[in-house]
Amino acid sequence: MEATSFPRLCSFLVAGLIILVFTRSFINFDKSDLRIKGASNLFLNNQKQTLNSHDHEAQIPHHPLDPLTIKEINTVRSILLSYKPFSSSFPSIHSLVLEEPAKSDVVNWKKGDKLLPRLASVIAFLKGRSHQLTVDLGSGMVTRHEISHASGYPVYTSEDMDGALKTPFTEIEFNRTVLARGIALSDVTCIPLPSGWFGPKEEGRRLIKVQCFSTEGTCNFYMRPIEGLTIVVDVDRKKVVEIVNVGYGIPLPKAKNTDFRHSDQNKPPEMLPINPISMEQPKGPSFHIENDYMIKWANWEFHLKPDPRAGVIISQAKVQDSETGKYRRVMYKGFSSELFVPYMDPAEGWYFKTYMDAGEYGFGLTAMPLDPLNDCPSNSQYMDAVFAAADGKPYVRKNMICIFERYAGDISWRHAESQITGIKLREARPKVTLVARMVASVGNYDYIVDWEFQMDGLIRIKVALTGMLMVKGTAYENMNEVPEQTDMHGTLVSENVIGIIHDHFITFHLDMDIDNSNNSFVKVHMEKQETRPGESPRKSYFSAKRHVAKTEKDAQIKFKLYDPSEFHVVNPSKDYSLGNPAGYKVVAGGNAASLLDLDDPPQVRSAFTNNQIWVTPYNRSEQWAGGLFACQSKGEDTLAVWSERNRPIENQDIVLWYTLGFHHIPCQEDFPIMPTVVSSFDLKPVNFFQRNPIVGLAPNTEKDLPVCGAVASS
Ligand SMILES: *[C@@H]1O[C@H](CO)[C@@H](O)[C@H](O)[C@H]1NC(C)=O
Ligand SMILES: *[C@@H]1O[C@H](CO)[C@@H](O)[C@H](O)[C@H]1NC(C)=O
Ligand SMILES: *[C@@H]1O[C@H](CO)[C@@H](O)[C@H](O)[C@H]1NC(C)=O
Ligand SMILES: [Cu+2]
């Protein structure tokens, strides 16, 4: 399997040099995998290590939400091959995934029950039309077939992108343009960029804008753009529609200092050396992966699976009640639903860069195998993905997700009594968490997405950004050459290189089910109060007032630092003793809001970023915040459109949507590769547990950690 999928994943991300990079990581990968297995007497004792291709061939589903297996994907393909409407020509398959059973059926299903009927949801593209099909694996029938009338197109396949990248070379004018800039054609690497939607001129056909770079002298071709050259390609006809060449006179930035590979560095960093560091678990990890996709750890259990579009899907997350030990429902389904990455340069070669990475490239499709010891700690286990290619055949993406326990030296709770009280007391508990991680490499950018589970019931969703800037070539080599008043749309990050300002937004779909699915969304508004004359030496304080959201518009939330609220999802009918409804709150971390005009075309298409929080009633058709068909869409199927229906959301099955945002004004340190920047948000229990659920944890002692003694110096 791997042998066939490898060329595919390379061609997907373009070109020659990148193949070198990935080949390297594959080789590294195998070596370290061996190394881990060699030391397996301590680790991984009764755990199943990384699945291998043999396991995948024999794999069978155990849980209603388990992704389609290799066998099942092959079955779907053969059903489609003999399906009448496709008999004259087989469509290209843009998505072939499990069609999840109805939520109520999944909720009622228990381990040991007969597996629910297996259905596949297929998005196919044929002769300019998008087809949505449901295939019943049991009966071997296509049970639904709809032709889409939406404005947008499905996620690009790797074949679409591969074809688009080859097309410019069929035009002699392209070759001439490149040669006229003094660049050898053999040094040219191109990338496929979605064109967005900017008016009727671009409708009725699938377009990709191709831009090119020089790989001469570097693996980091992104830093050597052939500026101003954009080739508009009709993806289906494989024809050049237009060659835009406006960068005349802009030199190719130099290759010097752009390579970031260890082998290419000519001196060690200027710092004191760091000794080897690792997280050891002498008794092995304390989580289990049951039947491939069910994770059990400490007081948590959840279903975890790879998804070609979302990346990672967490389902049926349940936490044990601290008093009874009973598993209680927290979240039915959580995943990154869509991204929006608009660049802030209105110039010809840049205005359209307003990416929706999940709906255009596939956040999971771009997730590459993880590098053990560097992407994930040594105590990690890995999960592979089985995806379908454009021809409907399955392939395995090895080690796409890692799962590990993290001890980062943090404290989960503590108290020490000061000497003045005369009471001798010092109690502290280390914080150990469980992380499920994947990294999507969407072209130049790498998005690290962590779902982190804590024993105190908190779930932290963390996104870290690294990889390369998308840069613009310029004639300027130093800021002293730039006339005042010039808007560079970014920062000169190296000679002839501008890092263009942009945003990153990631919108999460969080189908919270606190204890059951009848939940409400409550704004706990902090309101300043003034004291009555003579009441108190104090003039003011604030109190917390609860407002239950009745309809969707009550839950369209923009954050305000000086008019703050907490945002709770509660189960109004569950209170466990004190009368406070059991709930979880969404706790924002660093965030950013879009500054674009609401009627700017990219903002209309990505209107799901108009608010930081939305709440919608559960609707299984409303999963993708930017619409099911996001490529070139006009924005008629976004979360913002759904929410405008203003449906009731009180004491209903509701879905919370949270958008995490970053403004990115590049700086010199982002060159040639960016140090990670991180932001996160939390889902934190509020009045869900009767009391601190981890008071009962035992402290660490030296005998628990035979490998590492405690040292305190004074
Ligand atoms: C353009 O250059 C490429 C690479 O040298 C070559 O394969 C291709 O045939 C050329 N295209 C045309 C139309 O001459
Ligand atoms: C949720 O509310 C609906 C309508 O009020 C009710 O029919 C249903 O029984 C409730 N479900 C639960 C699990 O309480
Ligand atoms: C469910 O979502 C689809 C797509 O937005 C919509 O057409 C349909 O009306 C929705 N159903 C309800 C009950 O809101
Ligand atoms: Cu950025």
Side-chain angles (χ1 to χ4, degrees), residues 82-135:
S82 55
Y83 179 54
K84 276 267 160 54
F86 296 154
S87 57
S88 60
S89 56
F90 194 68
S92 67
I93 304 298
H94 290 248
S95 172
L96 196 174
V97 294
L98 175 78
E99 182 158 313
E100 293 189 356
K103 179 169 170 179
S104 54
D105 294 342
V106 177
V107 167
N108 292 327
W109 185 89
K110 286 178 298 300
K111 196 178 155 188
D113 289 357
K114 192 165 158 281
L115 198 63
L116 298 173
R118 299 285 285 174
L119 305 178
S121 166
V122 178
I123 294 174
F125 193 74
L126 184 64
K127 301 191 179 109
R129 313 298 294 271
S130 307
H131 298 246
Q132 274 180 275
L133 302 104
T134 301
V135 178

Side-chain angles (χ1 to χ4, degrees), residues 463-538:
V463 178
L465 310 177
T466 176
M468 270 73 73
L469 288 173
M470 184 133 275
V471 303
K472 182 176 188 176
T474 173
Y476 300 127
E477 296 191 344
N478 189 294
M479 284 306 290
N480 64 20
E481 299 161 12
V482 182
E484 239 176 277
Q485 313 295 330
T486 307
D487 189 350
M488 306 247 291
H489 306 291
T491 308
L492 193 69
V493 294
S494 179
E495 286 170 16
N496 305 117
V497 181
I498 300 172
I500 298 292
I501 297 171
H502 58 278
D503 286 332
H504 302 264
F505 298 103
I506 304 164
T507 298
F508 287 87
H509 169 116
L510 304 159
D511 180 357
M512 306 301 289
D513 281 359
I514 307 301
D515 284 311
N516 59 42
S517 40
N518 286 352
N519 288 180
S520 294
F521 179 71
V522 181
K523 286 183 274 191
V524 181
H525 187 214
M526 285 162 256
E527 293 172 14
K528 190 179 89 168
Q529 309 291 335
E530 282 165 16
T531 54
R532 291 185 307 275
E535 183 190 355
S536 164
R538 283 275 296 279

Side-chain angles (χ1 to χ4, degrees), residues 254-291:
K254 296 174 193 70
K256 186 168 174 270
N257 287 341
T258 58
D259 208 315
F260 46 80
R261 288 172 297 183
H262 189 241
S263 57
D264 196 70
Q265 306 309 306
N266 53 17
K267 66 182 181 69
E270 298 292 342
M271 60 174 71
L272 299 173
I274 295 294
N275 290 331
I277 188 162
S278 164
M279 159 88 199
E280 307 298 330
Q281 290 189 287
K283 294 178 184 164
S286 20
F287 63 92
H288 304 282
I289 305 179
E290 197 178 277
N291 290 331

Side-chain angles (χ1 to χ4, degrees), residues 342-369:
Y343 283 74
M344 300 298 151
D345 186 340
E348 176 64 36
W350 282 83
Y351 73 89
F352 61 88
K353 296 182 179 179
T354 54
Y355 309 120
M356 295 162 78
D357 288 332
E360 291 174 338
Y361 289 108
F363 211 39
L365 294 174
T366 59
M368 297 293 142

